[in-house]
Amino acid sequence: MLSEQALTEIARERAKYPEDRAQSALLAALRIAQEDQGFLATEVMDYVAHLLGIEPIRAYEVATFYSMYDLQPVGRHKICVCGSVSCFLRGSDQILAHLEEQLGIKVGETTPDGLFTLREVECLGACLGAPMMQVGDRYYENLTKDRVDSILAALREGGDDVG
Amino acid sequence: MPIIEIDGKPIDVAPGTTIMEAAQALGIYIPFFCYHPKLSVAANCRMCLVDVEKAPKPLPACATPVADGMKVSTASRKAKMAQQGVLEFLLINHPLDCPICDQGGECPLQDITMGFANPHSQYTEEKRVVEDKDIGPLIATEMTRCIQCTRCVRFGQEIGGIMELGATGRGERMAIGTYVAQAVRSELSGNMIDLCPVGALTSKPFRFTARNWELKHTPGICPHCSTGCHIDIQSRGREVMRVLPRPAEAVNEEWICDKGRFAYAGLAADDRVTQPLLRVDGEWREVSWAEALDATVGGIEHLLREHGAQQLGGLISARASVEELFLFQGLLRGIGSPHVDHRLTQQDFRADAAMPLYPALNMALEDLEREPVILLCHGFPRNEQPLTNHRLRKAVLAGGQIFVLAEQQRDFNYPVTQIVAGAGADVALYERLCRYLEQPEAIAELQGDTVLVRAAQALRAADNPVILVGSGALRHPRAAELLYWIGQVAALAGGRLSWLGEGANSAGAWIAGCIPHRLPGGAASPQQGLPAGAMWASGLKGYVLMDCEPTLDCWDGAAAEHALCAAELVISIGCFSREAQRYAHVILPAVAFGEGAGRYINNEGREQPFRAAVRAAGEARPGWKILRVLGHSLGVEDFAFMELEEVTRAWQRAVGEFPLDVTPLAPFPHCASGAHTAAPLLRMGEWPLYRSDPLVRRSAPLAQQAVARLHPEQAAALQLHPGVVEITTATGKALLPLVLDRKIPMGAVWVPMGFPETRDLGPAMGPCAIASAPTVAAAALAAV
């Protein structure tokens, strides 16, 4: 179900913890599985739980707790807009509304072309650059509507990292 | 020892005690929801916040260990504000639907709100709504009521041994559930209903039928296995409404299994007999007791005259009380028949003479959880004695080791080492274990048996390990051979034998003399009778059956049916008629679960009396009264009992003090090996959890489907695909859905006992053939 590389990485994570503490490796194992598969389908979580020898419900608990895990397929670019206090005071709600308008989707949805998924998330620890959003592994700070437009345009051009 | 003060009262407690425990010792009440003495401390409901001097914030009493000199107040202004605040938050999302909530009247949230809450809420926004989950036929969910105490989750993890419920989501979206839609499978799941402090998890069969305050509580003893759990039978009028556990630390702690909890639903079966039934010219007629007793006594007298007492056999279940068992054998022996037995599920009786006075655990259940090394021989207590299994689980969690020798892999809910024989080769497994125990120096040279060698080493290293004989060993068609080798294992390992009795009163049945070779108290019977299996093979002319359905309860249901249908006289004393009408001539209605009094002796040798919770249904009579009347009418001596107590005293006089520790009366004999079934395919049968007795079989919420199980590779080799298959034995056929299951050994097909569908297949273990079902038949079954 997972690639050889993902299995090796999970085994490495597992080895970091004592024999009776398999659950400690769960966060990392789920992250690796998600990177490998794109999102965490129930079968993928079941498989990860099986690899670690724990009950599937423990994987579901962890995966539903953290917003970084995707339980549904996501677009190529996952846009996570911070909606916590600092960003909100600096106009994150307008950034979000602008993104919805530009992408033609609501928060939580994916564009029909499968390119973008839009999320509102809690604080990502970049209050200094509020309002901010995360796309893939990268933070974009001090957002304005214009800057959002240019980022979207660059992402549409095919870039993954469009600083 | 720290000395602390709670509400001005000093107490001296052991270090590590929590404030909650200290307060309970003082009799001071601190409200709580998530705390439970049998579960780990979660401290997530915050209801038990108390005011501790010098602590800046209130502290949770359940999670705060005492410190010397600590001064705690449970009713200061600070503590009260904390309690009111917590309740206000808990009630934000809790619906105020107590009038339609099944928990109403027995709800900690309701009670604590009445006692501790501020009557006004500041919350005016919308309440959250959580989707209900379908988690099976036993537990109803109303998840909007959930306060996330996680007791149910912790129960699954810590007591049930399979974690099925969890808390998914986060913050306001956190919800308890299974995430994927599925029914909970734990055999202890009903306890979550009791643990839930709100109406989120309620009993589906009991739901909306009664209020807590309308119910009469009667202490009872569970009749479904040899653990003998203490139960609280709750009734209204003449109806048993539900069964809950009754705390008994030494027996069931405060749990019961789902079989004990929900079997009562079988009382509502449509074939419950409440009036004597007589077969007249092939038709069943409801008759008066006088008429039925005349027919019974006349029939027996006629049989004795025509064929002699040797042609009459008596079979009784191990759910009967000691009084009934005592009278039953007294009746049979009193009229001259030595043929009396209760071991319906067994087939091989060659070791009878050596058997101990009664099969018993030989220790207290509580001691079982402290055993370091246990060898479990052919048994699956999770199915057969669920709360004894709970003690074994505790033994493993405490660092104990359990090795299991068995005929197939099973889903234990704790780590055990399973050593499984190939189909039909169980005896050889024990022989090999003996060899490794005998010649430790030879072990190194042996190949391919590493797990068995490891078991041998652990047994040798242990001081007096427990050799636990499971119910499966006695049910084995070569039980005597198994017992010989199990005895050898115990001797070589320096261990002691311990037994898992099958029925609620197996111990009582042995002690009361409901066995063909011994009288009450264990003295050898002057006249050796036929054991259960042989009674069918001999084709007696008459049978007296009590509280059993031999066609479903016996090791060979087909043989039982054949013998019963060929007999001239079959008297069935019991609660249900569907099976009995196939073979009986007279059906005498006996009281059912909850309606009778008596005593059971559990697997520890613990004598446990119980009394009736409700009046008998219709014309049903207590079993002991029916037997007394029969005995009296047939002229048996000393049968003039008026009260149950007189029977109890007569039993006590006959039996005397019985020991709690029992050892085999003689070494188990080395029996010649029975015919090895060299069939290409072996039928392996056992009674599934909810098919083991007439009452539980009729409980609608515990309904189980009959299926055949086959190893996927075996199925592939036979070119069988999931779908309906036809199983054929020498005596009959059965059409069953096929389920692929890696736990079944190659060369065998698992086909359950206790189902009318599999009745005609005969022996629980024996050769069979399997094929894809004819299409027409399969379609008919699928339509059902």
Side-chain angles (χ1 to χ4, degrees), chain A residues 3-17:
Chain A
S3 68
E4 277 304 315
Q5 192 200 343
L7 289 176
T8 318
E9 284 180 49
I10 290 176
R12 195 161 57 226
E13 291 293 334
R14 175 66 190 87
K16 290 180 184 173
Y17 305 99

mmCIF file with all atom_site columns, all heavy atoms in Angstrom, chain A residues 3-17:
data_model
loop_
_atom_site.group_PDB
_atom_site.id
_atom_site.type_symbol
_atom_site.label_atom_id
_atom_site.label_alt_id
_atom_site.label_comp_id
_atom_site.label_asym_id
_atom_site.label_entity_id
_atom_site.label_seq_id
_atom_site.pdbx_PDB_ins_code
_atom_site.Cartn_x
_atom_site.Cartn_y
_atom_site.Cartn_z
_atom_site.occupancy
_atom_site.B_iso_or_equiv
_atom_site.pdbx_formal_charge
_atom_site.auth_seq_id
_atom_site.auth_comp_id
_atom_site.auth_asym_id
_atom_site.auth_atom_id
_atom_site.pdbx_PDB_model_num
ATOM 1   N N   . SER A 1 3  ? 4.893  3.029  -0.499 1.00 0.00 ? 3  SER A N   1
ATOM 2   C CA  . SER A 1 3  ? 6.106  2.759  -1.262 1.00 0.00 ? 3  SER A CA  1
ATOM 3   C C   . SER A 1 3  ? 7.193  2.196  -0.343 1.00 0.00 ? 3  SER A C   1
ATOM 4   O O   . SER A 1 3  ? 7.136  2.357  0.879  1.00 0.00 ? 3  SER A O   1
ATOM 5   C CB  . SER A 1 3  ? 6.602  4.057  -1.892 1.00 0.00 ? 3  SER A CB  1
ATOM 6   O OG  . SER A 1 3  ? 7.066  4.929  -0.882 1.00 0.00 ? 3  SER A OG  1
ATOM 7   N N   . GLU A 1 4  ? 8.177  1.557  -0.965 1.00 0.00 ? 4  GLU A N   1
ATOM 8   C CA  . GLU A 1 4  ? 9.317  1.002  -0.216 1.00 0.00 ? 4  GLU A CA  1
ATOM 9   C C   . GLU A 1 4  ? 9.964  2.076  0.648  1.00 0.00 ? 4  GLU A C   1
ATOM 10  O O   . GLU A 1 4  ? 10.287 1.867  1.815  1.00 0.00 ? 4  GLU A O   1
ATOM 11  C CB  . GLU A 1 4  ? 10.363 0.445  -1.194 1.00 0.00 ? 4  GLU A CB  1
ATOM 12  C CG  . GLU A 1 4  ? 10.053 -0.961 -1.681 1.00 0.00 ? 4  GLU A CG  1
ATOM 13  C CD  . GLU A 1 4  ? 9.888  -1.955 -0.534 1.00 0.00 ? 4  GLU A CD  1
ATOM 14  O OE1 . GLU A 1 4  ? 10.717 -1.938 0.392  1.00 0.00 ? 4  GLU A OE1 1
ATOM 15  O OE2 . GLU A 1 4  ? 8.894  -2.709 -0.558 1.00 0.00 ? 4  GLU A OE2 1
ATOM 16  N N   . GLN A 1 5  ? 10.105 3.260  0.040  1.00 0.00 ? 5  GLN A N   1
ATOM 17  C CA  . GLN A 1 5  ? 10.782 4.344  0.749  1.00 0.00 ? 5  GLN A CA  1
ATOM 18  C C   . GLN A 1 5  ? 9.985  4.745  1.991  1.00 0.00 ? 5  GLN A C   1
ATOM 19  O O   . GLN A 1 5  ? 10.546 4.934  3.076  1.00 0.00 ? 5  GLN A O   1
ATOM 20  C CB  . GLN A 1 5  ? 10.935 5.535  -0.201 1.00 0.00 ? 5  GLN A CB  1
ATOM 21  C CG  . GLN A 1 5  ? 11.877 6.586  0.336  1.00 0.00 ? 5  GLN A CG  1
ATOM 22  C CD  . GLN A 1 5  ? 11.655 7.936  -0.324 1.00 0.00 ? 5  GLN A CD  1
ATOM 23  O OE1 . GLN A 1 5  ? 11.026 8.021  -1.372 1.00 0.00 ? 5  GLN A OE1 1
ATOM 24  N NE2 . GLN A 1 5  ? 12.161 8.983  0.298  1.00 0.00 ? 5  GLN A NE2 1
ATOM 25  N N   . ALA A 1 6  ? 8.671  4.855  1.815  1.00 0.00 ? 6  ALA A N   1
ATOM 26  C CA  . ALA A 1 6  ? 7.836  5.242  2.957  1.00 0.00 ? 6  ALA A CA  1
ATOM 27  C C   . ALA A 1 6  ? 7.939  4.187  4.054  1.00 0.00 ? 6  ALA A C   1
ATOM 28  O O   . ALA A 1 6  ? 8.055  4.516  5.241  1.00 0.00 ? 6  ALA A O   1
ATOM 29  C CB  . ALA A 1 6  ? 6.382  5.399  2.506  1.00 0.00 ? 6  ALA A CB  1
ATOM 30  N N   . LEU A 1 7  ? 7.922  2.915  3.658  1.00 0.00 ? 7  LEU A N   1
ATOM 31  C CA  . LEU A 1 7  ? 8.004  1.846  4.659  1.00 0.00 ? 7  LEU A CA  1
ATOM 32  C C   . LEU A 1 7  ? 9.330  1.911  5.419  1.00 0.00 ? 7  LEU A C   1
ATOM 33  O O   . LEU A 1 7  ? 9.377  1.736  6.636  1.00 0.00 ? 7  LEU A O   1
ATOM 34  C CB  . LEU A 1 7  ? 7.852  0.483  3.972  1.00 0.00 ? 7  LEU A CB  1
ATOM 35  C CG  . LEU A 1 7  ? 6.454  0.170  3.447  1.00 0.00 ? 7  LEU A CG  1
ATOM 36  C CD1 . LEU A 1 7  ? 6.443  -1.161 2.707  1.00 0.00 ? 7  LEU A CD1 1
ATOM 37  C CD2 . LEU A 1 7  ? 5.445  0.135  4.591  1.00 0.00 ? 7  LEU A CD2 1
ATOM 38  N N   . THR A 1 8  ? 10.409 2.181  4.676  1.00 0.00 ? 8  THR A N   1
ATOM 39  C CA  . THR A 1 8  ? 11.720 2.298  5.329  1.00 0.00 ? 8  THR A CA  1
ATOM 40  C C   . THR A 1 8  ? 11.709 3.445  6.325  1.00 0.00 ? 8  THR A C   1
ATOM 41  O O   . THR A 1 8  ? 12.206 3.322  7.445  1.00 0.00 ? 8  THR A O   1
ATOM 42  C CB  . THR A 1 8  ? 12.816 2.551  4.260  1.00 0.00 ? 8  THR A CB  1
ATOM 43  O OG1 . THR A 1 8  ? 12.538 1.709  3.155  1.00 0.00 ? 8  THR A OG1 1
ATOM 44  C CG2 . THR A 1 8  ? 14.188 2.278  4.808  1.00 0.00 ? 8  THR A CG2 1
ATOM 45  N N   . GLU A 1 9  ? 11.147 4.582  5.900  1.00 0.00 ? 9  GLU A N   1
ATOM 46  C CA  . GLU A 1 9  ? 11.127 5.741  6.796  1.00 0.00 ? 9  GLU A CA  1
ATOM 47  C C   . GLU A 1 9  ? 10.304 5.451  8.047  1.00 0.00 ? 9  GLU A C   1
ATOM 48  O O   . GLU A 1 9  ? 10.675 5.849  9.159  1.00 0.00 ? 9  GLU A O   1
ATOM 49  C CB  . GLU A 1 9  ? 10.543 6.967  6.072  1.00 0.00 ? 9  GLU A CB  1
ATOM 50  C CG  . GLU A 1 9  ? 11.517 7.601  5.094  1.00 0.00 ? 9  GLU A CG  1
ATOM 51  C CD  . GLU A 1 9  ? 10.898 8.809  4.410  1.00 0.00 ? 9  GLU A CD  1
ATOM 52  O OE1 . GLU A 1 9  ? 10.343 9.660  5.141  1.00 0.00 ? 9  GLU A OE1 1
ATOM 53  O OE2 . GLU A 1 9  ? 10.940 8.866  3.173  1.00 0.00 ? 9  GLU A OE2 1
ATOM 54  N N   . ILE A 1 10 ? 9.164  4.774  7.849  1.00 0.00 ? 10 ILE A N   1
ATOM 55  C CA  . ILE A 1 10 ? 8.324  4.462  9.018  1.00 0.00 ? 10 ILE A CA  1
ATOM 56  C C   . ILE A 1 10 ? 9.079  3.519  9.951  1.00 0.00 ? 10 ILE A C   1
ATOM 57  O O   . ILE A 1 10 ? 9.064  3.690  11.172 1.00 0.00 ? 10 ILE A O   1
ATOM 58  C CB  . ILE A 1 10 ? 6.978  3.853  8.569  1.00 0.00 ? 10 ILE A CB  1
ATOM 59  C CG1 . ILE A 1 10 ? 6.126  4.931  7.892  1.00 0.00 ? 10 ILE A CG1 1
ATOM 60  C CG2 . ILE A 1 10 ? 6.221  3.252  9.751  1.00 0.00 ? 10 ILE A CG2 1
ATOM 61  C CD1 . ILE A 1 10 ? 4.811  4.461  7.311  1.00 0.00 ? 10 ILE A CD1 1
ATOM 62  N N   . ALA A 1 11 ? 9.788  2.556  9.375  1.00 0.00 ? 11 ALA A N   1
ATOM 63  C CA  . ALA A 1 11 ? 10.553 1.625  10.209 1.00 0.00 ? 11 ALA A CA  1
ATOM 64  C C   . ALA A 1 11 ? 11.609 2.384  11.001 1.00 0.00 ? 11 ALA A C   1
ATOM 65  O O   . ALA A 1 11 ? 11.868 2.089  12.173 1.00 0.00 ? 11 ALA A O   1
ATOM 66  C CB  . ALA A 1 11 ? 11.190 0.554  9.333  1.00 0.00 ? 11 ALA A CB  1
ATOM 67  N N   . ARG A 1 12 ? 12.221 3.394  10.364 1.00 0.00 ? 12 ARG A N   1
ATOM 68  C CA  . ARG A 1 12 ? 13.251 4.178  11.060 1.00 0.00 ? 12 ARG A CA  1
ATOM 69  C C   . ARG A 1 12 ? 12.618 4.937  12.233 1.00 0.00 ? 12 ARG A C   1
ATOM 70  O O   . ARG A 1 12 ? 13.165 4.978  13.329 1.00 0.00 ? 12 ARG A O   1
ATOM 71  C CB  . ARG A 1 12 ? 13.918 5.145  10.079 1.00 0.00 ? 12 ARG A CB  1
ATOM 72  C CG  . ARG A 1 12 ? 15.212 5.713  10.616 1.00 0.00 ? 12 ARG A CG  1
ATOM 73  C CD  . ARG A 1 12 ? 16.079 6.289  9.525  1.00 0.00 ? 12 ARG A CD  1
ATOM 74  N NE  . ARG A 1 12 ? 15.388 7.316  8.761  1.00 0.00 ? 12 ARG A NE  1
ATOM 75  C CZ  . ARG A 1 12 ? 15.388 7.398  7.439  1.00 0.00 ? 12 ARG A CZ  1
ATOM 76  N NH1 . ARG A 1 12 ? 16.051 6.516  6.743  1.00 0.00 ? 12 ARG A NH1 1
ATOM 77  N NH2 . ARG A 1 12 ? 14.744 8.368  6.821  1.00 0.00 ? 12 ARG A NH2 1
ATOM 78  N N   . GLU A 1 13 ? 11.448 5.525  11.988 1.00 0.00 ? 13 GLU A N   1
ATOM 79  C CA  . GLU A 1 13 ? 10.760 6.250  13.072 1.00 0.00 ? 13 GLU A CA  1
ATOM 80  C C   . GLU A 1 13 ? 10.392 5.295  14.210 1.00 0.00 ? 13 GLU A C   1
ATOM 81  O O   . GLU A 1 13 ? 10.561 5.612  15.378 1.00 0.00 ? 13 GLU A O   1
ATOM 82  C CB  . GLU A 1 13 ? 9.492  6.928  12.551 1.00 0.00 ? 13 GLU A CB  1
ATOM 83  C CG  . GLU A 1 13 ? 9.750  8.087  11.600 1.00 0.00 ? 13 GLU A CG  1
ATOM 84  C CD  . GLU A 1 13 ? 10.420 9.261  12.290 1.00 0.00 ? 13 GLU A CD  1
ATOM 85  O OE1 . GLU A 1 13 ? 10.261 9.416  13.515 1.00 0.00 ? 13 GLU A OE1 1
ATOM 86  O OE2 . GLU A 1 13 ? 11.132 10.017 11.586 1.00 0.00 ? 13 GLU A OE2 1
ATOM 87  N N   . ARG A 1 14 ? 9.920  4.135  13.819 1.00 0.00 ? 14 ARG A N   1
ATOM 88  C CA  . ARG A 1 14 ? 9.480  3.160  14.822 1.00 0.00 ? 14 ARG A CA  1
ATOM 89  C C   . ARG A 1 14 ? 10.630 2.762  15.730 1.00 0.00 ? 14 ARG A C   1
ATOM 90  O O   . ARG A 1 14 ? 10.468 2.591  16.943 1.00 0.00 ? 14 ARG A O   1
ATOM 91  C CB  . ARG A 1 14 ? 8.897  1.928  14.112 1.00 0.00 ? 14 ARG A CB  1
ATOM 92  C CG  . ARG A 1 14 ? 8.501  0.787  15.021 1.00 0.00 ? 14 ARG A CG  1
ATOM 93  C CD  . ARG A 1 14 ? 7.346  1.182  15.926 1.00 0.00 ? 14 ARG A CD  1
ATOM 94  N NE  . ARG A 1 14 ? 7.091  0.199  16.979 1.00 0.00 ? 14 ARG A NE  1
ATOM 95  C CZ  . ARG A 1 14 ? 7.689  0.193  18.152 1.00 0.00 ? 14 ARG A CZ  1
ATOM 96  N NH1 . ARG A 1 14 ? 8.620  1.107  18.455 1.00 0.00 ? 14 ARG A NH1 1
ATOM 97  N NH2 . ARG A 1 14 ? 7.392  -0.715 19.075 1.00 0.00 ? 14 ARG A NH2 1
ATOM 98  N N   . ALA A 1 15 ? 11.803 2.626  15.123 1.00 0.00 ? 15 ALA A N   1
ATOM 99  C CA  . ALA A 1 15 ? 12.971 2.159  15.874 1.00 0.00 ? 15 ALA A CA  1
ATOM 100 C C   . ALA A 1 15 ? 13.433 3.168  16.921 1.00 0.00 ? 15 ALA A C   1
ATOM 101 O O   . ALA A 1 15 ? 14.217 2.844  17.814 1.00 0.00 ? 15 ALA A O   1
ATOM 102 C CB  . ALA A 1 15 ? 14.103 1.843  14.898 1.00 0.00 ? 15 ALA A CB  1
ATOM 103 N N   . LYS A 1 16 ? 12.947 4.389  16.827 1.00 0.00 ? 16 LYS A N   1
ATOM 104 C CA  . LYS A 1 16 ? 13.381 5.404  17.793 1.00 0.00 ? 16 LYS A CA  1
ATOM 105 C C   . LYS A 1 16 ? 12.759 5.192  19.172 1.00 0.00 ? 16 LYS A C   1
ATOM 106 O O   . LYS A 1 16 ? 13.194 5.795  20.139 1.00 0.00 ? 16 LYS A O   1
ATOM 107 C CB  . LYS A 1 16 ? 12.973 6.801  17.303 1.00 0.00 ? 16 LYS A CB  1
ATOM 108 C CG  . LYS A 1 16 ? 13.737 7.300  16.098 1.00 0.00 ? 16 LYS A CG  1
ATOM 109 C CD  . LYS A 1 16 ? 13.226 8.685  15.731 1.00 0.00 ? 16 LYS A CD  1
ATOM 110 C CE  . LYS A 1 16 ? 13.893 9.183  14.462 1.00 0.00 ? 16 LYS A CE  1
ATOM 111 N NZ  . LYS A 1 16 ? 13.282 10.442 14.011 1.00 0.00 ? 16 LYS A NZ  1
ATOM 112 N N   . TYR A 1 17 ? 11.693 4.398  19.236 1.00 0.00 ? 17 TYR A N   1
ATOM 113 C CA  . TYR A 1 17 ? 10.955 4.291  20.497 1.00 0.00 ? 17 TYR A CA  1
ATOM 114 C C   . TYR A 1 17 ? 11.037 2.882  21.046 1.00 0.00 ? 17 TYR A C   1
ATOM 115 O O   . TYR A 1 17 ? 11.231 1.928  20.289 1.00 0.00 ? 17 TYR A O   1
ATOM 116 C CB  . TYR A 1 17 ? 9.489  4.701  20.278 1.00 0.00 ? 17 TYR A CB  1
ATOM 117 C CG  . TYR A 1 17 ? 9.376  6.074  19.671 1.00 0.00 ? 17 TYR A CG  1
ATOM 118 C CD1 . TYR A 1 17 ? 9.165  6.248  18.310 1.00 0.00 ? 17 TYR A CD1 1
ATOM 119 C CD2 . TYR A 1 17 ? 9.525  7.209  20.469 1.00 0.00 ? 17 TYR A CD2 1
ATOM 120 C CE1 . TYR A 1 17 ? 9.094  7.513  17.744 1.00 0.00 ? 17 TYR A CE1 1
ATOM 121 C CE2 . TYR A 1 17 ? 9.462  8.484  19.916 1.00 0.00 ? 17 TYR A CE2 1
ATOM 122 C CZ  . TYR A 1 17 ? 9.243  8.626  18.546 1.00 0.00 ? 17 TYR A CZ  1
ATOM 123 O OH  . TYR A 1 17 ? 9.188  9.880  18.004 1.00 0.00 ? 17 TYR A OH  1
#
